[in-house]
Amino acid sequence: MKTSDFNYVLPKELIAQHPLEKRDLSRLMVLNRKSRTIENKTFKDIIDYLEPGDCLVINDTKVIPARLYGKRIATTEGSKDVEILLLKEIDKDLWETMVRPGKKIKQGTKIEFGEGILKGEVLEVLENGNRKIKFEYEGIFNEILDKIGLMPLPPYIEETLKDKDRYQTVYAKYEGSAAAPTAGLHFTPELLEKIKQKGIAIAKVTLHVGIGTFRPVKVEDVEKHEMHSEHYYIKQEDVNKINNAKKQGKKIISVGTTSCRVLESVADEKGFVHEEEGDTKIFIYPGYKFKCIDRLITNFHLPESTLIMLVSALADKDFIMEAYNKAVEEKYRFFSFGDAMLIY
């Protein structure tokens, strides 16, 4: 299976640069796997495809303002600008980070941010080029990030985000992501309440999304690609909701590829899940047999990405590529702030 099999032509003007004013008025492309038919709807119509007793699974991670601009200190060249992206907290105040300019930031380099309210030292240069940085500060780390950090928008979004809350889901709770679980951006509190009132359970998982989600697959043989690791957990109360729906023969609907990766990582061979915390590097591509999820709500993904491979595993690659080409023809909005797809 070749990476190039998952390519498609996307005009740049279809890459959404900002969110719609109303979250649930995004367009929704509905793919029926049995009939291989495609419908065009509005996102708030999603409730029509959910039945009482089903379980909707959302990812309640929260994006942190993980992009920091600082200056190297105590260098022979004087202070120099540095950009850092927080990727993953390894231990208290110790983070794996991506830095620019990379070649200049060696072990022992000291950096200050926000005129010194946050300081960091590079403890190690990792094999993948990332750096381990130990931070020092007074007060609460997340409050400092709120003051001096910026939202780590994907590289294909070139416009400034006026309201940083629009790169959060309305149910975001646990801080730790370097990118939003974007399928969830379409939900409003009102739509979620209507879904509950219809008798659909809403279960939560937490997966902290890493910046690796945007990294292209660089090998031509799909099976040789190595996935990035992401931290997750699922609580017993949510396990119960998912398993109860399973026992009753109802559908498990995953909101986004992140929720999907958690469920497929923790599910047993019968599709039941259990309380767990850990790291997952699960790579889902065509040929994978899904254990837990029945349906998927997702956005439109980058060509040749692991995410388009995941949806192709669920819906059949040829059908997905047909749908993507149709979405281009009909001028759907693509990627993080774009429109949505339901595969059922």
Side-chain angles (χ1 to χ4, degrees):
M1 193 181 310
K2 295 180 178 179
T3 299
S4 55
D5 292 339
F6 299 90
N7 197 13
Y8 65 94
V9 178
L10 179 67
K12 188 177 180 181
E13 62 267 21
L14 296 184
I15 300 174
Q17 293 296 312
H18 53 82
L20 294 183
E21 186 177 340
K22 294 189 176 180
R23 292 175 183 260
D24 60 357
L25 291 185
S26 299
R27 296 168 75 186
L28 177 70
M29 178 176 277
V30 181
L31 274 61
N32 184 318
R33 288 180 287 167
K34 279 190 178 178
S35 63
R36 293 181 75 89
T37 54
I38 297 172
E39 296 178 280
N40 297 306
K41 299 285 186 176
T42 300
F43 191 82
K44 62 183 180 179
D45 298 327
I46 196 80
I47 194 168
D48 298 334
Y49 297 89
L50 308 175
E51 298 295 334
D54 287 348
C55 185
L56 188 74
V57 184
I58 60 178
N59 179 8
D60 61 5
T61 188
K62 190 171 186 178
V63 185
I64 60 173
R67 193 178 299 280
L68 295 167
Y69 290 92
K71 290 185 179 295
R72 282 184 286 154
I73 53 178
T75 69
T76 55
E77 303 165 317
S79 63
K80 293 288 184 178
D81 292 341
V82 179
E83 179 185 345
I84 284 182
L85 186 63
L86 302 174
L87 299 180
K88 184 179 181 181
E89 188 172 21
I90 301 166
D91 203 347
K92 180 170 172 53
D93 301 329
L94 180 65
W95 285 77
E96 180 178 348
T97 68
M98 188 182 293
V99 301
R100 287 195 296 189
K103 291 181 181 178
K104 300 275 188 177
I105 312 301
K106 298 179 170 60
Q107 185 174 335
T109 300
K110 294 183 178 180
I111 308 163
E112 67 175 15
F113 309 88
E115 298 181 343
I117 66 170
L118 180 66
K119 295 180 179 178
E121 181 178 353
V122 178
L123 299 188
E124 185 181 346
V125 179
L126 302 175
E127 286 185 11
N128 59 8
N130 294 340
R131 270 69 170 168
K132 281 186 184 179
I133 295 182
K134 180 75 172 179
F135 290 99
E136 292 181 9
Y137 53 90
E138 290 185 7
I140 299 171
F141 187 66
N142 285 337
E143 289 182 0
I144 292 171
L145 286 187
D146 283 337
K147 283 182 185 176
I148 64 174
L150 299 173
M151 277 299 188
L153 294 178
Y156 47 74
I157 295 177
E158 298 170 355
E159 294 185 11
T160 303
L161 179 64
K162 294 176 183 176
D163 178 4
K164 66 181 183 181
D165 285 341
R166 289 309 306 273
Y167 196 55
Q168 303 279 18
T169 62
V170 296
Y171 45 76
K173 186 174 183 181
Y174 298 107
E175 294 176 318
S177 276
T182 54
L185 295 179
H186 305 283
F187 286 93
T188 64
E190 295 78 16
L191 180 56
L192 289 167
E193 185 57 33
K194 285 180 182 177
I195 288 169
K196 286 182 186 175
Q197 292 298 322
K198 191 174 177 179
I200 293 125
I202 299 178
K204 298 173 182 177
V205 299
T206 307
L207 180 136
H208 294 315
V209 187
I211 206 71
T213 193
F214 301 117
R215 283 191 181 138
V217 177
K218 294 183 177 178
V219 292
E220 183 57 11
D221 182 350
V222 167
E223 295 179 26
K224 291 182 179 177
H225 175 68
E226 185 174 344
M227 284 291 286
H228 55 285
S229 173
E230 292 173 318
H231 193 70
Y232 69 85
Y233 48 91
I234 178 172
K235 298 177 180 177
Q236 189 60 48
E237 61 186 287
D238 300 299
V239 164
N240 294 342
K241 291 178 183 179
I242 295 163
N243 288 344
N244 286 342
K246 276 282 181 193
K247 288 173 186 174
Q248 295 169 26
K250 301 297 183 178
K251 302 298 183 187
I252 307 300
I253 303 98
S254 173
V255 178
T257 56
T258 60
S259 299
C260 171
R261 294 182 72 225
V262 174
L263 295 176
E264 293 300 313
S265 294
V266 302
D268 63 25
E269 291 305 313
K270 293 183 179 178
F272 292 103
V273 298
H274 52 275
E275 185 177 21
E276 186 174 295
E277 178 172 2
D279 296 293
T280 182
K281 295 179 76 172
I282 190 171
F283 183 18
I284 298 173
Y285 55 89
Y288 178 85
K289 302 297 182 187
F290 286 85
K291 298 176 289 186
C292 184
I293 79 160
D294 301 294
R295 297 175 179 176
L296 177 67
I297 298 166
T298 188
N299 278 20
F300 291 89
H301 303 295
L302 278 73
E304 300 187 352
S305 65
T306 60
L307 303 181
I308 197 172
M309 293 172 189
L310 185 154
V311 297
S312 296
L314 184 63
D316 177 75
K317 180 181 74 69
D318 291 341
F319 190 30
I320 285 291
M321 300 316 294
E322 176 190 340
Y324 269 63
N325 289 325
K326 186 177 178 68
V328 169
E329 285 174 21
E330 301 197 6
K331 293 184 166 46
Y332 271 70
R333 301 166 78 246
F334 278 67
F335 305 162
S336 295
F337 287 141
D339 296 315
M341 172 185 284
L342 168 65
I343 301 171
Y344 84 107

